[in-house]
Amino acid sequence: MTDILVSQTATIPTRQRSTWYFPLTSGYDPVPASMISKRYTLLDAEAKVKDPSLYLLESTINRRSNHSLAGLPVVAQWDIVADDALNQLVQSQLQKAQVATQALRRIPLETRIQILQDFGTKLRAQYAKWRTLTVQESYAYNAFLASLDAVLETFQSNYFDLISNVLQPISKLGCNARLEHVPQGVIGVISPQNSSFPMLTQILHGAFLSGNALLIKPPHRLAIVALALVDEFNQVLKDWEMPNHLVSTVVHPNHQSILDSWLGLKGGSRIDNLVFIGNSKRRSEIIQSCQQAGIYNPIIELEGVDSAYVHHDLTPEQLSRTACLLAYAKNAASGQFCISLKRLYVHPDVYEPLMTALRTEFQRYRPGSLREDDPYVLGPSSLPHKLPSIVDAFEAAGATTTVGGRRLNYQGQPDPDGIYIEPTLFEGVDPTSELLKEEIFANVLPVVKTNGNLADTIEHMNQCPFGLRGTVFAQDKEVIEEMRHRLNVGTVVINGNPLDFSIQIAGGRGASTLDQHARIWAIDLSLRQVVTGDRGIRDLADILQIPEVLPLLEHKVIAADLL
């Protein structure tokens, strides 16, 4: 184990020898041992990138409960729920969470903000811990660096001022009516396998701020950051004597089994809403299951095929800076973020100078130690075996591979079995190519040399069905305004980092979401309802029982779920 890992003994969960152990919890209480089938074992990420055979060994260990761990670089273990206990556990967690969220609603917003500020302070103080845990998800320094500031931003006073104004009642409807946000209740969260630190931190933050309880299912093979965050958050809640069972965890290899239990499809109660962050292949399945259970507005965030455009009016210095940002947005985390840059459009007048700089920037990224303080170190790829077919597809479509295109080993040498993808540029890509509509979850970037017509460029950028975000590099205000209004995306970045993990980190349009255009979790996890006569009006019978509200019937002011 490294010095940085050993140095965190006082701030990490229960340890056995030099190994983290994360028990599953229902609030502050560990899940009974009788409901656990086994412990999942995670080997050290740095050891695995140096010796890829350890990935296969890790899989073997977790298939065989009696496999010896002697002499192996074990870094963490966590519990897996037994099949026959899954629904019983979920129903128990759900019922306790329903009670807890009712108690949470009585906690003043000002107190919840104080608690979150305390949590944010602890996150900042434990920088080394969270970086170390992020490395164990096989992410290098640049990936952690991309998200840390954005996570901490949501714990600043100006952010809380912004959200407080939204969560407080808005008296703008006339008469005695107002619009207010209310908690949804118990939210089930299927958290992503990538970028769990920024995503789950902000979901925890938003749920507590808006008065909801959470049931969290991390990926069973990579739950280390998620379980550590829940452990830390629960400790803060316990210190503040908050209601128990606000945040619980369950780890099981079958997503659908957990979803069916959450939705009450196996008998019992159901959650009030679902947050699902993943790829689009499960979109229809998730929506169908939710609708079967009576949930019609799940919060779904799927893949992105984010684009960037570079206009002709940038100075040489600005082009150089743009190339740095583009290379970072593509190669941080080896391109394995949903908001990684996936396609680039360049005006012909600046194509050569920009691409000359971009080729140089791409060649600065390299394999290396995940623990290095070097933003140019790559992490391993989840699909290096697909690289040859990706290269063949672009070249068959007329593109040219001008940088990269090879698999690399830990030493940065070409290796047909390497687990790294060399930073790759495809140039001469046809703007109408179907390849530009696919999310390639790797550090390969197709580049389109536009015809110089802005309307055509916007049309080509909008052909992709996925619309998380788009980035514009330009000085001309009219060009910026045209693209800002016409790009079919949830977020437009103007002359900034395309991989900006700001508080509105995604949102989206088209196939990326269910048409949620911002990702401010405290708002997403609230219901917006009209309140009249200082009471929530649910139906006509309620209205008729409140004499002072009777005149409002003439104005047809009724309760409405506007989400």
Side-chain angles (χ1 to χ4, degrees), residues 185-197:
V186 182
I187 313 295
V189 179
I190 298 179
S191 63
Q193 186 156 319
N194 63 317
S195 64
S196 56
F197 180 73

Side-chain angles (χ1 to χ4, degrees), residues 517-538:
H517 305 317
R519 180 80 314 121
I520 300 179
W521 293 101
I523 298 176
D524 281 348
L525 297 175
S526 298
L527 290 171
R528 284 162 285 190
Q529 71 173 22
V530 172
V531 177
T532 63
D534 294 324
R535 285 182 54 179
I537 305 303
R538 296 295 179 184

